Amino acid sequence: SHDFHHSSPGASPVSAPAIEAVDLVKTFGDFTAVDGVSFSVPAGTVFSMLGPNGAGKTTTVRMMTTLSIPTSGTAHVPSFDVAKNPDAERHRMGLTAQSATVDELLTGRENLRLIGDLYGLERSLVKRSTEELLERFSLTEAGNKVVKDYSGGMRRRLDLAASLIATPPVLFLDEPTTGLDPRSRVELWGVLRDLVRDGTTLFLTTQYLEEADQLADRIVVVDHGRIIAEGTPLELKDQSGKASLVVTVSRSTEVDAAAELVR
């Protein structure tokens, strides 16, 4: 809901930044994928990078999450530089990439326990967290099924649960709802709102205007590696000069009357 923008616990401008980038640049030979991108994300808020394929969103996420070294500029989860302290940085973040990274031959429960073991967490803690996450993502009944039998929405929810097994304070989501049906997308939005309400900071990339509008406290629009617009969802809609009105009727017989009323 649009009220979410106003109720987000970190919406205060005095909140300490949880993520910062300063003049990030990434080149591949003669091609510049990210061209001087800067932003700051207050703790406990949702920051959305909105743009088409090839705009530089994934490359930015890869630099922010230690998977790619910037050509120039700096990327921080404050107190750490992702280039200078990658190991320390990784303990402070979770990442859900565009493609689900869960193991199809394992059950949902086994997937989460495996990730917990890889983090080196105590077995008792991993067991408890696994059950809590399966319940949170409506996967308890599917927990003993192998992932190859999961739907796309279930697989995406399990992928997000895996990124939370170590309870990171900062979560990077690279186009998390691409390919999901509308119902699964709305369900995932609800889970993300709950995470922010509990204090998680979200960095979200998306191609969907509606997704950024529904979730983000602040949006940057990127194209060809550069930020071309930024602001709150309301500020960006005001700048565009295009107001819209959505009317939903409860019965199909009311459509004509609603259309006349709008006119």
Side-chain angles (χ1 to χ4, degrees):
S1 71
H2 293 285
D3 290 341
F4 177 67
H5 302 311
H6 306 294
S7 62
S8 179
S12 169
V14 297
S15 296
I19 308 169
E20 289 182 304
V22 180
D23 293 330
L24 272 185
V25 174
K26 184 68 177 182
T27 59
F28 300 94
D30 294 332
F31 174 67
T32 301
V34 176
D35 191 4
V37 166
S38 299
F39 51 80
S40 178
V41 184
T45 66
V46 183
F47 180 87
S48 180
M49 182 169 276
L50 173 67
N53 278 332
K57 303 189 301 298
T58 295
T59 303
T60 300
V61 169
R62 287 180 60 81
M63 287 190 285
M64 298 303 302
T65 55
T66 78
L67 298 177
S68 181
I69 299 173
T71 302
S72 64
T74 56
H76 297 276
V77 171
S79 300
F80 297 103
D81 183 298
V82 297
K84 295 178 181 177
N85 299 281
D87 290 337
E89 187 81 352
R90 290 177 191 126
H91 282 283
R92 293 180 53 79
M93 66 175 69
L95 168 65
T96 299
Q98 286 187 33
S99 300
T101 53
V102 289
D103 191 320
E104 292 190 344
L105 300 181
L106 299 179
T107 67
R109 185 169 278 106
E110 289 169 341
N111 263 282
L112 296 185
R113 290 185 178 179
L114 173 63
I115 297 299
D117 289 344
L118 291 173
Y119 267 109
L121 303 174
E122 290 184 17
R123 287 291 176 90
S124 59
L125 174 63
V126 172
K127 187 175 181 179
R128 184 169 66 251
S129 296
T130 293
E131 298 311 311
E132 289 174 354
L133 287 166
L134 288 173
E135 182 176 355
R136 183 173 203 169
F137 287 88
S138 303
L139 292 170
T140 300
E141 291 185 13
N144 288 328
K145 294 181 181 178
V146 292
V147 172
K148 68 179 181 180
D149 294 331
Y150 278 23
S151 68
M154 293 166 66
R155 205 172 287 210
R156 202 55 172 154
R157 294 202 303 275
L158 181 65
D159 203 29
L160 183 56
S163 68
L164 294 171
I165 198 75
T167 60
V170 177
L171 184 59
F172 290 85
L173 305 166
D174 194 11
E175 299 193 20
T177 65
T178 296
L180 294 187
D181 61 82
R183 179 178 176 179
S184 295
R185 182 174 295 149
V186 171
E187 288 177 349
L188 187 53
W189 287 351
V191 171
L192 296 180
R193 290 191 181 103
D194 288 343
L195 288 175
V196 176
R197 200 166 288 122
D198 291 343
T200 303
T201 303
L202 296 187
F203 183 107
L204 169 79
T205 75
T206 184
Q207 298 184 52
Y208 301 121
L209 287 165
E210 183 185 13
E211 185 159 86
D213 186 26
Q214 285 285 327
L215 292 176
D217 295 295
R218 190 163 187 84
I219 300 169
V220 295
V221 184
V222 292
D223 192 31
H224 294 92
R226 293 188 174 188
I227 294 176
I228 60 172
E230 58 184 306
T232 67
L234 186 58
E235 287 170 348
L236 289 176
K237 283 183 281 191
D238 284 346
Q239 290 171 24
S240 72
K242 295 179 180 178
S244 64
L245 175 67
V246 178
V247 177
T248 304
V249 297
S250 57
R251 293 186 295 275
S252 59
T253 54
E254 296 176 335
V255 171
D256 289 342
E260 182 62 30
L261 182 64
V262 171
R263 273 195 292 271

